[in-house]
Amino acid sequence: MTSFKNTLLLASAFAAAVSGAPVEQASAVSTKRGLAYNQVTALNPFAKKPCFSWSYNWGSAAGGDIQGTEYVPMNWGEKMFGEWDNLAEAALASGSKHLLAFNEPDLAEQANMSPEAAAAAYQQYMNPYGDRARLGSPAITNGAAPYGLDWMKKFFDACAGNCKIDFLAIHWYDGAEHAFWFKKHITECIEFAKAHGIDKIWVTEFQGMGDDVSQVKFMNEVLPWLDSNDSVERYAYFMVDTLLRGKSVSSVGQRYSS
Ligand SMILES: *[C@@H]1O[C@H](CO)[C@@H](O)[C@H](O)[C@H]1NC(C)=O
């Protein structure tokens, strides 16, 4: 898939050069888009789509063929700590260049960690990889205080500058009609990250909730916006298993693939 993608980018760069268009326009194919999955076989219908550069499954092992994407392991939370080092090493050895940290520690039913406990665990389990991979912050919800950015602010305070973080990881869920609020929230997160010396964010879960038509409309509005902003390094819509209808891809999945 990597060579397929490169060929495609080169071909469009060549076409742009011939037509005299700015070469930047050649990257009409987003390289930020990821595949969030539970069942690894759910990736199959999305294979060989040049827009997908990475994948993750909230775990630390891919569990099968990830279709030429970069697998990004996640240190989900406390239940993962015992096996994290072995699995992170294995993922790095097979080409992972990024590592994700705790999943929604601001929620009791997810990683459920206080900002202070997360800051200590981050330094213990994530910092050691800082020279060998790009590291993501814990991934927070878009809940109002004490969730979301409020939790993250306390986490950064507890880190006191000692957590090695290359990008801020965030989630967003709301109605598909709220693309405006999505952009507003992402903007706020970019500004929060910058204020903490971090110049990239990853939106590792998001969904404009609603029927397929509303979700496609949401994507039409937010995907080009995400693609055009350099501060947004990567993103993953929630989630490929739900973008299938039997063996084929739903209209939402098709929009996400194009
Ligand atoms: C990305 O978004 C941030 C926050 O809205 C903004 O400050 C920045 O100028 C944007 N960058 C680009 C390249 O559009």
Side-chain angles (χ1 to χ4, degrees), residues 32-203:
K32 303 180 180 184
R33 210 166 288 173
L35 296 165
Y37 68 96
N38 275 342
Q39 297 294 325
V40 71
T41 51
L43 298 179
N44 295 347
F46 297 91
K48 310 287 182 279
K49 294 281 195 293
C51 57
F52 297 123
S53 57
W54 67 288
S55 59
Y56 87 111
N57 60 349
W58 294 269
S60 310
D65 182 1
I66 40 138
Q67 307 294 346
T69 58
E70 178 197 347
Y71 177 70
V72 181
M74 169 183 271
N75 185 353
W76 190 92
E78 223 166 296
K79 69 178 185 187
M80 193 83 88
F81 291 167
E83 46 186 358
W84 169 247
D85 283 314
N86 283 340
L87 293 172
E89 289 293 346
L92 292 174
S94 50
S96 301
K97 305 260 188 279
H98 304 81
L99 302 176
L100 296 171
F102 325 135
N103 190 62
E104 299 186 342
D106 52 335
L107 281 192
E109 55 274 25
Q110 293 291 322
N112 189 28
M113 298 166 87
S114 71
E116 295 73 23
Y122 193 94
Q123 290 168 66
Q124 181 174 354
Y125 295 105
M126 302 302 292
N127 273 10
Y129 296 98
D131 295 333
R132 298 161 59 203
R134 285 173 50 77
L135 306 181
S137 73
I140 47 159
T141 70
N142 58 315
Y147 305 99
L149 283 176
D150 186 64
W151 186 98
M152 193 67 100
K153 183 187 180 311
K154 293 179 183 134
F155 168 79
F156 273 97
D157 288 348
C159 283
N162 295 316
C163 298
K164 296 184 182 173
I165 296 172
D166 296 296
F167 56 92
L168 193 78
I170 59 147
H171 296 169
W172 184 90
Y173 292 92
D174 205 334
E177 69 277 24
H178 294 312
F180 172 83
W181 293 107
F182 174 81
K183 293 180 190 173
K184 189 167 183 290
H185 185 68
I186 300 304
T187 297
E188 201 183 335
C189 291
I190 291 170
E191 283 163 4
F192 176 97
K194 284 191 177 148
H196 291 84
I198 296 168
D199 63 356
K200 299 289 179 191
I201 72 162
W202 287 28
V203 189

Side-chain angles (χ1 to χ4, degrees), residues 216-234:
V216 169
K217 194 165 166 249
F218 174 78
M219 279 192 188
N220 285 342
E221 188 156 347
V222 306
L223 296 188
W225 186 81
L226 291 171
D227 290 338
S228 73
N229 194 304
D230 286 345
S231 299
V232 179
E233 189 167 58
R234 283 181 170 182

